[in-house]
Amino acid sequence: MNQTLGQKLFRTKTSERKLDDSAVHGGGLGRTLGLFPLTMIGVGATIGTGIFFTMVEAVPKAGPAVVLSFLLAAITAGLTALCYAELADRVPASGSSYSFAYATVGEFAAFVVAACLLLEYGLAASATAIGWSDYLNNFLQNAIGWQIPDALRSPMIVSGKNGIEFHAGHINLPPILLVVMCCVLLIRGTKESAATNAIMVMIKLVILIFFAAIALTGFDINNFHPFFAAKDGHSLGGMAGVTAAAGTVFFSFIGIDTIATAGEETRNPTRDVPLGILIALLIVTVFYMLVAVAAMGAQPAHMFEGQEAGLAVILQNVTGKAWPALVLSGGAVISVFSVTLVTIYGQTRILYAISRDGLIPKTFQKVNPRTQSPVANTLIVSIVVGIVAGLVDSTFLWDMVSMGTLVAFMVVSVAVPVIRRKQKEEDKRTGRKGFRVPFGPYLVPGLSILACLYLVLGLSPITYTVFAVWMTVAVLTYFGYGLRNSRLNRAGTQATELTH
């Protein structure tokens, strides 16, 4: 039967239909992941970005109180992680918060969330690839005394003192090469990519312990005084500076969302995805706080601004020797590879889910029957990520990633009480024992929404402008293509209640 516009915007998908989508299309994603590689995907997407790069952006805003910024971001992520865990148990499908929104608050809201996720993952992959270039250059300098020529490791579009500057003839080549390597590995298949990622994550954790152990030998409590940054051109001062820095580093916690994107490729998603989310968040928070305290104790806050390969430089300054910086830079080169790999992976799986629902072209859902990976999808994502990483200064990217992440997290929090209400009778009938957010369906999700809003308010004005433009493009795309081509629209399906 014909649907009104309102019915089309709020129509939802049942969880069974989501789980059966691969059968409908043939050649679906293979279920190859267990708890350990799933957890490592989350840790791999998280540890690295916030510690290796964003302290250069965050410390000038917050001063030594940046440790509170990481803690504030971790608490916000923790509240949202509980919401993710319940939804991942109830809707174990590819697409993460997009799939959760489609199953609860409707198609239009799901498409908006998808746009946030595409912004989040695409720019995060580009930003981390850019940071990889700094550590690679530091490694080469300490290892063989050679640096990459400036014109080949600096972007064309940069943020200068007087605004946007264009440097003709410049390109940041190392990030492009990194994206190409990630693309090749992902095309080979998810199982192989996950195994490689797990190895790189373990190397990363060892390197960060190595950093903390050496940096703490140069710990000086005076570096924490004054604790809060003064109000100046970089900082709003006091807790306002802490909030702004928390918003900048928050994108580092997208590993939570990345685990959920792998729900359709997990052997036991209802058990392993919630566990993987919570375990990854615990590991990440412990390492972030350890390294942040060690770094601030070893170096005065004013030295972080504009510092390339910051952690490596700290070790060189503490020890007066090059070899610790060489080890750290080598570890960072490996570590950031894993971050870029996993964020590109997350981007392709979200596009796969959106395409499968008919909201974007079918190209993104085609899976190679041999490798069980979406080859064309991966190639398109890698090309876009590589272009941004090679041409744009990372200064433009950090806050935009956080904005996309925070908006997606808020929708996930809203989805918890909605799905509880829809499945209430079914839960009673079946005696469902899956993971549930503690203290009822409103307290934790409500606190999560408030915490996300608090961090959003600390983001820069230009972030709001760019985000508004991106959302406008997304809405026009939905009404111009998605609304008409949606699978639910073609099938004439009305919004249905969720059953499990």
Side-chain angles (χ1 to χ4, degrees):
M1 60 179 292
N2 293 329
Q3 297 174 311
T4 66
L5 178 61
Q7 288 175 322
K8 291 180 179 180
L9 296 180
F10 292 100
R11 57 193 172 196
T12 60
K13 294 185 66 177
T14 65
S15 56
E16 286 95 339
R17 190 180 297 122
K18 280 197 167 294
L19 291 172
D20 291 342
D21 276 345
S22 60
V24 172
H25 287 84
L29 299 172
R31 291 193 179 275
T32 60
L33 301 178
L35 177 59
F36 179 74
L38 195 65
T39 303
M40 290 300 99
I41 283 175
V43 175
T46 307
I47 289 185
T49 47
I51 285 298
F52 284 115
F53 312 135
T54 57
M55 288 190 73
V56 175
E57 297 288 334
V59 174
K61 295 179 181 179
V66 73
V67 294
L68 295 183
S69 300
F70 278 107
L71 184 60
L72 179 59
I75 291 172
T76 304
L79 292 170
T80 312
L82 294 171
C83 300
Y84 263 100
E86 176 165 344
L87 291 168
D89 182 24
R90 292 178 181 272
V91 189
S94 182
S96 184
S97 45
Y98 160 75
S99 295
F100 302 156
Y102 212 156
T104 54
V105 292
E107 183 175 279
F108 178 69
F111 196 84
V112 170
V113 170
C116 293
L117 294 176
L118 295 178
L119 184 72
E120 169 189 333
Y121 281 94
L123 296 187
S126 297
T128 53
I130 292 169
W132 184 79
S133 180
D134 293 339
Y135 278 96
L136 177 64
N137 195 57
N138 184 276
F139 176 79
L140 293 173
Q141 172 64 31
N142 288 317
I144 60 177
W146 180 79
Q147 288 191 330
I148 303 169
D150 186 64
L152 294 178
R153 69 176 189 92
S154 58
M156 182 185 299
I157 305 170
V158 301
S159 176
K161 293 182 179 180
N162 298 318
I164 299 176
E165 299 176 359
F166 293 90
H167 296 176
H170 284 235
I171 187 171
N172 202 351
L173 184 59
I176 297 175
L177 298 178
L178 173 61
V179 172
V180 170
M181 289 187 287
C182 291
C183 178
V184 171
L185 190 57
L186 287 169
I187 287 174
R188 288 174 60 88
T190 299
K191 185 176 182 180
E192 291 78 6
S193 302
T196 303
N197 174 71
I199 294 170
M200 290 190 288
V201 169
M202 298 308 294
I203 293 173
K204 178 190 306 187
L205 298 182
V206 171
I207 288 296
L208 290 180
I209 292 173
F210 169 79
F211 167 80
I214 295 181
L216 287 172
T217 64
F219 189 89
D220 183 355
I221 192 64
N222 292 318
N223 289 338
F224 286 86
H225 181 77
F227 188 63
F228 292 99
K231 186 175 182 179
D232 56 26
H234 295 284
S235 174
L236 298 174
M239 278 303 298
V242 171
T243 304
T248 297
V249 305
F250 187 79
F251 89 93
S252 304
F253 289 89
I254 68 172
I256 297 171
D257 195 273
T258 307
I259 292 175
T261 66
E264 199 165 321
E265 295 168 90
T266 304
R267 288 193 294 269
N268 186 1
T270 57
R271 180 185 75 93
D272 290 348
V273 173
L275 276 177
I277 288 171
L278 298 176
I279 294 171
L281 179 65
L282 177 62
I283 294 172
V284 165
T285 302
V286 169
F287 272 85
Y288 271 10
M289 296 302 296
L290 173 65
V291 175
V293 170
M296 290 306 310
Q299 177 175 276
H302 68 86
M303 293 180 65
F304 282 88
E305 185 175 351
Q307 192 175 59
E308 290 188 4
L311 298 191
V313 173
I314 289 173
L315 293 190
Q316 195 161 352
N317 292 340
V318 168
T319 63
K321 300 176 182 179
W323 73 264
L326 178 64
V327 172
L328 194 284
S329 294
V333 168
I334 296 172
S335 300
V336 179
F337 189 116
S338 74
V339 178
T340 309
L341 176 75
V342 173
T343 47
I344 293 176
Y345 165 85
Q347 176 85 301
T348 61
R349 269 41 182 186
I350 292 164
L351 285 167
Y352 171 88
I354 305 168
S355 176
R356 190 181 55 188
D357 292 331
L359 302 178
I360 58 175
K362 295 180 179 180
T363 301
F364 294 96
Q365 65 177 288
K366 293 180 180 177
V367 174
N368 183 288
R370 183 177 62 84
T371 63
Q372 293 187 313
S373 63
V375 176
N377 183 344
T378 303
L379 286 172
I380 293 170
V381 169
S382 298
I383 290 171
V384 174
V385 169
I387 290 173
V388 174
L391 299 180
V392 180
D393 185 352
S394 64
T395 303
F396 295 110
L397 306 180
W398 302 118
D399 282 2
M400 285 307 307
V401 179
S402 290
M403 175 67 89
T405 306
L406 288 163
V407 173
F409 279 12
M410 283 189 277
V411 175
V412 166
S413 301
V414 169
V416 170
V418 174
I419 203 168
R420 283 272 193 102
R421 178 179 58 82
K422 287 190 172 185
Q423 293 189 351
K424 183 178 180 180
E425 294 303 320
E426 184 69 16
D427 287 350
K428 287 182 179 179
R429 186 178 62 81
T430 61
R432 183 181 178 277
K433 300 295 183 181
F435 182 87
R436 285 173 173 263
V437 172
F439 311 115
Y442 298 106
L443 178 61
V444 170
L447 291 174
S448 174
I449 293 169
L450 291 175
C452 288
L453 284 172
Y454 181 68
L455 295 187
V456 165
L457 293 176
L459 297 176
S460 62
I462 187 64
T463 302
Y464 285 92
T465 302
V466 176
F467 186 73
V469 172
W470 177 253
M471 284 294 102
T472 300
V473 172
V475 171
L476 291 176
T477 301
Y478 174 75
F479 283 102
Y481 182 93
L483 182 65
R484 181 178 67 257
N485 292 281
S486 165
R487 282 183 60 207
L488 295 188
N489 189 61
R490 293 198 305 268
T493 307
Q494 289 183 324
T496 55
E497 290 297 314
L498 281 164
T499 55
H500 195 65

